Amino acid sequence: YFNLADEAWKSNDDGWGLYLMGDQNAVGVAKGSIPTVQEVLGLTDPTGSPVTTPTGSPVTTPTGAPVITPKSVFGTDNVGKYSFWKSYRGIGFSVSGGSNSPGDYGGNHARIQDGLNKVVSNGYNMVRTWGTGAWSDLVCEHIISNSLDIKLQAGIWIDNANKGRYQAEFDSAMVSVMRYSELYLGVSIGNEQEYSIGVPKLLEMVQYMKQKYPHVPVTYNFLQNTLNDPDFAPVFAAMDYVNVNVYPGYFGNLANNAWTPTVQLNALKAYNPTEVPNGMPIVLGETGWQSSSPDTQRTIPSTKYLIEYYSLATHYLYGETDNTVFASGFYFNLADENWKGADDGWGLYLQGDQNAVGAAKGTIPTVFEILEAAKPVMVKVQVEFPNIDCEQAALDLLEQKVKVALASSASVSKDTIKLTDMCCKSGVMTLNYNVPMGAGSASGFTSTVQDQPAEVLGSEITSSYGVPKTTAIQSSVAMEPTASSQESQTNSMSGSLVAAIVGTVAVVILFAAVAVWCWRNRIRKDDRNYMVEDPNVIPKDQTKPILELVEKGDSGRDSKKSSSLSKGWLTLQDDEGEEYYWNSETGDVSFQKPRTSDSNILI
């Protein structure tokens, strides 16, 4: 074969080599993943490691010695289950890319190691690549030698230009996959090129993989709209799981400054693939936000928005129960690749150099930190309105309006907010709520409720009912430290535990006292709760319903004479079993044993 290496002196007739020219010390680097003759023939590999065959049966080497190879990879029998993916969190890993090409840093060990360290420190345990060969082998070697808890989804680049030789591309990549079979989840046989390849060819490619490597999970990274295209349904059905790259609305709003990370997250949540078979796991293959772009027409890229969308998407993928679409996902991307031009800027880190990935783009929260901040806490909110007419219909309406306002301020569903007490005494309306929300936003919500009640509740409420007095207390919730943060948290655990206990006790005492006060000072009237002027005596004009019920012999109340009472007082019992006193002459009701009018002695 002509030739081993390039020879620059040949000018226009140069470029035949498998390797670049190099220098006085060595021949240059390989031009991509160059399979050996043995690998092409499927006989052995250069290291002597076992090689996989489709059936697992032994093949013969030139010497006649059998070579037995593994049949499966780590993801075999696993990736087809949604439950398997819940413990995996992924990010795109293309740190070989530099300023000139995707392979500028393909052989830089220090850069690979630094990139993997950043993967782990940010809380990820799986990566995806866009090519499989010599570079991915180096990645695997670093993972193994450093005992890193990282799995890979292999990527193979197939487009319209090389689809005719896909078999050779697949077989070459599979040598690497099988060499490190314990690290691979599955193989993605392409990325976003499905329409140029076409359904028949893509289905042929899937079937080739399934027939030759039947125990290796196969997937593809589709464009977001493809999963709603019925033409591709046979392709989906032939796969083990599906990857889809979703940038919902981003590229259609590059110059729309109203397009924010929250808007894009809501679009991601609304993503509804219809053609993937029921039960087949869907992995979010890519999603992200640019921090910058040399294309001046793209006005929405910003570091602030990148970090915000990264945090929102990470929480949605791994921390929210309403994520019913994606089994897991790969955020795009770990680091920038300047060769991409206008399509660069997606990385959490700058590109860097041959020795390391670049600096972080601001304060990048780890997956652990994002999920910790999203853990639920309970905020106790008390809202007190003066000058309220204690008429139940108005109170019910006000209670619902306050709940809606709190839900909007806390960014939670109003259905999750629970009313714990509602009392009205002397024209003062008191409402107590439990508001469950993420720990990361609870502090800001608490201070806003206390300091800016008019802004929280809105003009519709405050103009009709007045500006209330508000109190908000965040209940302490124990947070289990993650493995990466446990050591750093050890020294502060004792102080935090004491603070949590004291805070919790204080909240319990405060709200228990309010609840008891409200309960002791109410009369039930058709399931309505009323507060009274005096905690011991209820005015006559509020007792008529009780008088009528007693006269009718309501079985829910037991009237009996008491020899210890005088001046018309009777001992009664309401439908909850609470004993109270009713005066048949005056109509007064008391929850304590009445006193005589001319002395301060209990009768």
Side-chain angles (χ1 to χ4, degrees), residues 446-455 470:
T446 300
S447 61
T448 302
V449 168
Q450 294 185 153
D451 300 338
Q452 303 174 28
E455 287 77 1
T470 54

Side-chain angles (χ1 to χ4, degrees), residues 383-399:
V383 183
E384 184 179 289
F385 289 93
N387 304 319
I388 292 291
D389 179 11
C390 293
E391 211 303 303
Q392 188 71 19
L395 303 186
D396 288 340
L397 179 61
L398 175 58
E399 186 271 317

Side-chain angles (χ1 to χ4, degrees), residues 120 153 206 290 392 426:
V120 174
Q153 176 177 282
V206 176
Q290 289 177 289
Q392 188 71 19
S426 300

Side-chain angles (χ1 to χ4, degrees), residues 29-41:
V29 298
K31 297 177 178 179
S33 299
I34 308 296
T36 67
V37 174
Q38 290 84 357
E39 290 169 345
V40 171
L41 298 179

Side-chain angles (χ1 to χ4, degrees), residues 483-552:
S484 64
S485 61
Q486 192 165 6
E487 182 177 350
S488 65
Q489 292 179 1
T490 302
N491 294 334
S492 63
M493 284 293 287
S494 298
S496 299
L497 181 59
V498 171
I501 293 173
V502 172
T504 302
V505 170
V507 170
V508 170
I509 292 174
L510 172 63
F511 285 92
V514 171
V516 170
W517 182 81
C518 291
W519 182 79
R520 286 297 308 273
N521 293 278
R522 84 197 191 292
I523 279 189
R524 295 188 60 80
K525 174 187 175 185
D526 301 330
D527 294 324
R528 302 176 184 179
N529 294 337
Y530 282 87
M531 293 307 304
V532 297
E533 183 71 27
D534 187 312
N536 295 326
V537 179
I538 297 177
K540 181 177 179 178
D541 60 355
Q542 293 188 16
T543 63
K544 183 177 180 182
I546 293 179
L547 178 60
E548 292 175 348
L549 288 170
V550 172
E551 289 174 344
K552 293 177 181 178

Side-chain angles (χ1 to χ4, degrees), residues 326-367:
F326 303 110
S328 187
F330 298 92
Y331 189 81
F332 186 79
N333 200 10
L334 182 71
D336 285 350
E337 304 169 82
N338 297 160
W339 70 269
K340 299 186 73 173
D343 198 35
D344 190 24
W346 301 95
L348 300 179
Y349 296 85
L350 297 173
Q351 177 180 285
D353 57 23
Q354 69 272 18
N355 297 312
V357 171
K361 297 177 179 179
T363 302
I364 307 293
T366 68
V367 175

Side-chain angles (χ1 to χ4, degrees), residues 417-432:
I417 299 179
K418 303 302 179 184
L419 176 72
T420 58
D421 293 294
M422 182 171 69
C423 309
C424 196
K425 175 182 182 294
S426 300
V428 177
M429 178 67 178
T430 304
L431 301 164
N432 290 298

Side-chain angles (χ1 to χ4, degrees), residues 64-81:
V67 179
I68 305 297
T69 62
K71 294 190 298 182
S72 61
V73 297
F74 177 81
T76 304
D77 299 326
N78 291 321
V79 296
K81 308 169 186 174

